[in-house]
């Protein structure tokens, strides 16, 4: 935004100069009223000399009364020009401020999309929502909102002091000695704003998290009669948030009136000190001194606004810090923009000496596995054995700590991330639907799909009959997270979505484990239809669903302990057989 910033600086400087010149016209105005003639210039002051020349020229041409009118017209004209350029500065700055905030929001959202899934396992969703909503709003109000103050007010003070120095360097030097003292007082008051703002941001995140958990768990809350517990938890956080906000308000709101009092105090001291010198004949004459005071008074409001901007900046610094924590988080699974394009899957997926650790906890340990094209490989094992993590390495939801994952003999990291994921579809245990129509949810992976293609995918997924029974058919809304549909219906829609995408590789993560018997049968039939002629990685909770897999991989504590087909593993009499017996699979 260099061009816009340059224009803003230009318009602001012109506005300041015309403001100072309009106030400077007080000197010849007062001199003419009091004496009917020009000002003396014993000090060879360049400003006073310029005013004298203007006044002498006007007096000789127009006379005293017309010169007075001429000065009044000039003052009005300069004030008009000052406000014209001030308006132009707003025209330039306001869209710039809005773009900065908009880009900040977009950068945050884009970063959240690019961060690996493991990052969100550590963070509370409510805290992240608070950062993108409250913290960006805080930056907008506290930092970007006072951007004009951080440019305009210091420029006003600097230019005004420069002009005052030209009028009287003695008085201006006296002012410059006092200003740092006032700044130190205001700085002490606003010092704790950042610490209190950090507390506000943290409490905001906690309250968002409680709300999110409440809305997501209302059935459990009501079933276990814990409304009172949740209410107390939220109210406690809310009261702590209120207390922290009040502390900020007390400090921040003190800055503006205090700076005004200190500014008037400074003005009074200058008035007394300069007045004494004028009365003794040691300084400029009275009309020049009054003009000096008029211009100096221009500093008080900018100084007051600057102190408010400073306190707001301290307050907003905590929000900026929380936003930067997200923006500066390294993307451990990043796209390879110059990577090869995986346009088709033709041979095999291979795990070669794969290890994966998370926070020093080993999840997968030296995994070697080959999945041939067209084969179905099932992953079984107790909870926490590493099944989902192993499957998540294929679409690069995580990257290996050591070893390699290869597709058609090429390290998966050497492909572009988008091309790898375009060859896969995933059906998870919890069906994920968006608050949109059934048709749009099915067409999620293929936005240009025709109605016929959508219906064909729904038929394969055993979803077509129940969709037709809905009042709006394929245009029916699924509700927030699919709440208008049953669990089995939601899962069949996610299968239809995977079918429509028509990928060569399927990953099924316990897709039927949370369903009732009838829904499970319908979904399992849909899965069997979908798996035909595709390479499938199936994470199985119910072992009856993977009896016909080409190979079953038994994981325990991150290691492969058994492998083979259903009959071979039963014959081994090991861990797999125990799992089967526990589920009473005959």
């Amino acid at each position: 935004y260099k061009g816009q910033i340059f224009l803003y600086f230009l318009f602001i400087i012109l506005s300041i100069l015309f403001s100072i010149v309009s106030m400077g016209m007080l000197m010849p105005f007062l001199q003419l009223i009091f004496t009917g003639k020009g000002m003396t210039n014993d000090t060879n002051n360049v400003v006073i000399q310029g005013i004298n020349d203007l006044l002498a020229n006007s007096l000789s041409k127009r006379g005293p009364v017309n010169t007075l009118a001429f000065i009044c017209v000039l003052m009005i004209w300069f004030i008009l020009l000052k406000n014209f350029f001030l308006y132009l500065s707003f025209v330039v700055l306001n869209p710039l401020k809005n773009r900065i905030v908009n880009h900040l929001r977009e950068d945050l959202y884009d970063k959240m999309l690019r961060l690996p899934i493991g990052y969100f396992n550590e963070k509370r969703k409510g805290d992240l929502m608070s950062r993108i909503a409250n913290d960006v709003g805080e930056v907008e109000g506290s930092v970007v909102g006072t951007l004009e103050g951080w440019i305009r007010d210091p420029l006003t003070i600097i230019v005004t002091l420069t002009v005052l120095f030209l009028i009287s360097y003695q008085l201006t030097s006296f002012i410059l000695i006092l200003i740092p003292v006032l700044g130190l007082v205001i700085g002490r008051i606003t010092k704790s704003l950042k610490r209190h703002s950090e507390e506000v941001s943290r409490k905001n995140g906690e309250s968002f998290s409680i709300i999110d958990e409440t809305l997501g768990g209302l059935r459990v809350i009501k079933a276990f009669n814990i409304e009172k517990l949740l209410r107390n938890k939220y109210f406690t956080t809310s009261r702590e948030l209120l207390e922290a906000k009040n502390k900020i308000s007390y400090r921040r709101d003190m800055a503006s009136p205090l700076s005004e009092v200190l500014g008037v105090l400074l003005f009074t001291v200058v008035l007394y000190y300069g007045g004494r010198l004028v009365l003794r004949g040691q300084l400029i004459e009275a009309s020049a001194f009054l003009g000096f005071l008029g211009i100096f008074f221009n500093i008080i409001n900018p100084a007051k606004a600057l102190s408010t901007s400073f306190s707001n900046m301290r307050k907003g610094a905590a929000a900026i810090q929380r936003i930067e924590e997200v923006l500066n988080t390294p993307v451990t699974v990043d796209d390879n923009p110059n990577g090869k394009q995986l346009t088709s899957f033709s041979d095999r997926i291979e795990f070669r000496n794969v290890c994966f650790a998370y926070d020093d906890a080993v999840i997968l340990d030296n995994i070697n596995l080959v999945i041939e094209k067209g084969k179905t490989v099932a992953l079984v094992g107790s909870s926490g054995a590493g099944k989902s993590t192993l499957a998540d390495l294929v679409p690069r939801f995580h990257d290996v700590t050591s070893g390699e994952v290869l597709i058609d003999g090429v390290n998966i990291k050497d492909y572009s991330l988008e091309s790898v994921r375009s060859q896969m579809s995933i059906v998870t245990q919890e069906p994920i639907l968006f608050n949109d129509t059934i048709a749009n949810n099915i067409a999620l992976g293929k936005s240009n799909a025709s109605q016929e293609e959508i219906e064909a995918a729904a038929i394969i997924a055993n979803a077509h009959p129940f969709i037709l029974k809905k009042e709006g058919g394929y245009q029916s809304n699924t509700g927030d997270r699919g709440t208008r549909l049953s669990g089995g219906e939601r899962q069949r829609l996610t299968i239809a979505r995977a079918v429509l995408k028509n990928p060569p590789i399927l990953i099924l993560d316990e897709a039927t484990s949370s369903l009732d018997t009838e829904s499970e049968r319908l979904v399992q039939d849909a899965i069997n239809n979908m798996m035909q002629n595709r390479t499938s990685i199936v994470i199985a909770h119910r072992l009856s669903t993977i009896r016909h897999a080409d190979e079953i991989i038994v994981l325990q504590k991150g290691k492969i302990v058994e492998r083979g087909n259903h009959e071979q593993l039963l014959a081994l009499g090991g861990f797999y057989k125990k799992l089967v017996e526990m589920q009473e699979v005959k």
Side-chain angles (χ1 to χ4, degrees):
Y1 304 112
K2 291 185 181 70
Q4 286 143 295
I5 292 172
F6 172 76
L7 276 176
Y8 179 70
F9 265 88
L10 177 64
F11 292 146
I12 278 295
I13 288 172
L14 288 171
S15 170
I16 294 166
L17 287 175
F18 282 116
S19 174
I20 291 172
V21 170
S22 67
M23 294 302 297
M25 296 306 293
L26 282 172
M27 288 188 281
F29 179 85
L30 293 169
Q31 185 69 14
L32 190 61
I33 289 291
F34 293 152
T35 66
K37 59 182 182 179
M39 302 163 64
T40 58
N41 188 20
D42 299 333
T43 59
N44 295 317
N45 189 292
V46 66
V47 175
I48 294 176
Q49 184 61 51
I51 292 171
N52 271 340
D53 292 342
L54 177 69
L55 193 57
N57 185 48
S58 181
L59 282 169
S60 64
K61 287 182 179 180
R62 301 180 180 88
V65 175
N66 288 334
T67 296
L68 191 61
F70 172 65
I71 291 172
C72 290
V73 169
L74 273 182
M75 289 178 70
I76 293 170
W77 180 241
F78 287 139
I79 287 292
L80 285 172
L81 285 173
K82 170 219 169 180
N83 284 284
F84 172 71
F85 286 113
L86 185 63
Y87 171 73
L88 288 181
S89 73
F90 290 144
V91 168
V92 171
L93 184 66
N94 286 330
L96 175 62
K97 291 194 296 185
N98 293 334
R99 285 192 193 103
I100 290 170
V101 173
N102 193 56
H103 281 181
L104 190 59
R105 275 201 182 91
E106 289 175 352
D107 287 348
L108 258 178
Y109 186 78
D110 178 65
K111 187 60 179 276
M112 287 183 182
L113 287 176
R114 292 192 296 112
L115 284 168
I117 286 176
Y119 174 83
F120 299 97
N121 295 334
E122 292 183 335
K123 301 292 181 180
R124 299 179 75 172
K125 195 193 308 179
D127 184 61
L128 293 172
M129 289 167 62
S130 176
R131 294 184 196 223
I132 203 168
N134 288 347
D135 289 337
V136 172
E138 184 63 56
V139 170
E140 181 175 8
S142 297
V143 183
V144 179
T146 56
L147 187 62
E148 61 191 273
W150 278 96
I151 298 174
R152 184 189 63 207
D153 297 328
L155 277 176
T156 302
I157 293 169
I158 291 167
V159 173
T160 304
L161 285 173
T162 303
V163 172
L164 290 176
F165 196 82
L166 292 173
I167 295 173
S168 173
Y169 70 88
Q170 299 101 320
L171 273 178
T172 309
S173 300
F174 178 68
I175 292 168
L176 290 174
I177 293 170
L178 295 178
I179 284 177
V181 178
L182 306 185
L184 185 64
V185 173
I186 294 170
R188 293 277 295 180
I189 291 171
T190 60
K191 189 175 181 181
S192 63
L193 280 173
K194 183 180 176 183
R195 176 168 50 83
H196 290 310
S197 295
E198 287 172 351
E199 187 178 352
V200 166
S201 297
R202 190 172 64 254
K203 293 299 176 184
N204 260 323
E206 287 179 17
S207 65
F208 264 95
S209 293
I210 295 169
I211 292 169
D212 179 63
E213 289 169 354
T214 301
L215 294 175
L218 275 174
R219 286 176 178 269
V220 175
I221 291 168
K222 292 180 181 298
F224 285 86
N225 290 322
I226 56 171
E227 291 95 336
K228 186 176 180 181
L229 177 68
L230 266 295
R231 187 183 295 111
N232 290 340
K233 185 178 180 183
Y234 181 77
F235 283 9
T236 300
T237 303
S238 182
R239 290 186 190 107
E240 289 172 352
L241 177 60
L242 175 64
E243 188 178 340
K245 282 183 175 180
N246 285 339
K247 286 179 182 177
I248 286 177
S249 298
Y250 299 149
R251 294 272 179 165
R252 184 192 59 205
D253 295 342
M254 192 187 295
S256 178
L258 181 66
S259 61
E260 183 170 348
V261 169
L262 292 174
V264 172
L265 193 62
L266 175 61
F267 181 82
T268 308
V269 171
V270 172
L271 179 64
Y272 174 73
Y273 175 72
R276 283 183 61 192
L277 295 177
V278 169
L279 290 172
R280 291 175 181 175
Q282 297 175 351
L283 201 62
I284 53 178
E285 56 192 77
S287 57
F289 176 59
L290 291 174
F292 179 96
L293 290 176
I295 295 172
F296 171 67
F297 200 79
N298 261 5
I299 293 179
I300 292 179
N301 279 337
K304 177 184 172 183
L306 188 61
S307 68
T308 303
S309 299
F310 180 68
S311 62
N312 282 336
M313 186 66 83
R314 280 280 182 92
K315 183 171 173 279
I320 290 175
Q321 188 174 322
R322 280 168 52 82
I323 290 169
E324 285 181 340
E325 279 179 17
V326 179
L327 293 178
N328 296 333
T329 300
V331 180
T332 54
V333 181
D334 206 356
D335 196 4
N336 183 353
N338 301 316
K340 301 176 183 178
Q341 294 298 310
L342 181 62
T343 55
S344 62
F345 173 57
S346 57
D347 186 18
R348 59 168 61 181
I349 300 169
E350 183 179 357
F351 296 83
R352 188 181 294 172
N353 302 321
V354 166
C355 294
F356 179 79
Y358 193 74
D359 287 342
D360 299 326
V362 176
I363 311 298
L364 296 172
D365 187 7
N366 196 32
I367 300 295
N368 287 281
L369 174 64
V370 174
I371 304 171
E372 301 286 351
K373 182 182 179 183
K375 301 293 184 182
T376 296
V377 171
L379 306 177
V380 302
S382 54
S383 180
K387 305 185 295 295
S388 294
T389 303
L390 183 61
D392 285 347
L393 294 176
V394 180
R396 281 193 72 196
F397 291 158
H398 311 289
D399 273 339
V400 298
T401 305
S402 63
E404 292 180 297
V405 179
L406 304 101
I407 297 180
D408 292 343
V410 178
N411 192 313
I412 199 170
K413 294 180 183 177
D414 295 332
Y415 290 117
S416 78
L417 194 58
E418 185 179 357
S419 71
V420 168
R421 291 176 181 171
S422 69
Q423 300 298 311
M424 303 172 191
S425 272
I426 299 172
V427 180
T428 58
Q429 179 179 357
E430 181 186 355
I432 306 297
L433 296 179
F434 296 90
N435 196 345
D436 205 338
T437 64
I438 288 174
N440 286 344
N441 268 287
I442 294 174
L444 205 62
K446 190 179 180 182
S447 56
N448 59 347
S450 65
Q451 183 64 27
E452 290 74 19
E453 289 176 307
I454 292 171
E455 289 182 10
I459 290 169
I460 294 172
N462 287 338
H464 187 65
F466 86 76
I467 294 173
L468 292 181
K469 291 178 183 177
K470 301 291 180 184
E471 186 176 345
Y474 281 84
Q475 297 309 309
S476 299
N477 193 284
T478 61
D480 186 31
R481 301 182 187 179
T483 50
R484 294 182 181 177
L485 305 174
S486 70
E489 289 172 343
R490 291 199 296 269
Q491 194 64 288
R492 278 177 277 169
L493 287 190
T494 63
I495 292 169
R497 178 197 297 162
V499 170
L500 182 61
K501 187 178 178 183
N502 194 27
I505 301 170
L506 281 175
I507 299 172
L508 305 171
D509 189 352
E510 301 190 3
T512 63
S513 64
S514 60
L515 303 177
D516 59 76
T517 304
E518 183 181 357
S519 297
E520 181 186 359
R521 182 180 57 78
L522 290 168
V523 170
Q524 191 60 51
D525 288 344
I527 288 172
N528 293 337
N529 293 336
M530 179 175 61
M531 288 170 62
Q532 291 178 15
N533 304 315
R534 287 187 173 89
T535 306
S536 303
I537 301 171
V538 183
I539 300 172
H541 173 71
R542 298 181 183 176
L543 302 181
S544 58
T545 61
I546 49 98
R547 294 181 66 176
H548 302 295
D550 295 293
E551 186 175 20
I552 299 171
I553 304 298
V554 183
L555 289 166
Q556 191 68 0
K557 295 182 180 178
K559 294 185 178 183
I560 297 176
V561 293
E562 293 173 11
R563 60 199 312 165
N565 60 34
H566 179 69
E567 287 75 19
Q568 289 170 340
L569 291 175
L570 284 178
L572 280 176
F575 187 74
Y576 179 77
K577 185 179 181 181
K578 289 180 182 177
L579 290 176
V580 172
E581 288 172 348
M582 279 191 287
Q583 293 189 15
E584 296 181 349
V585 177
K586 302 298 182 183

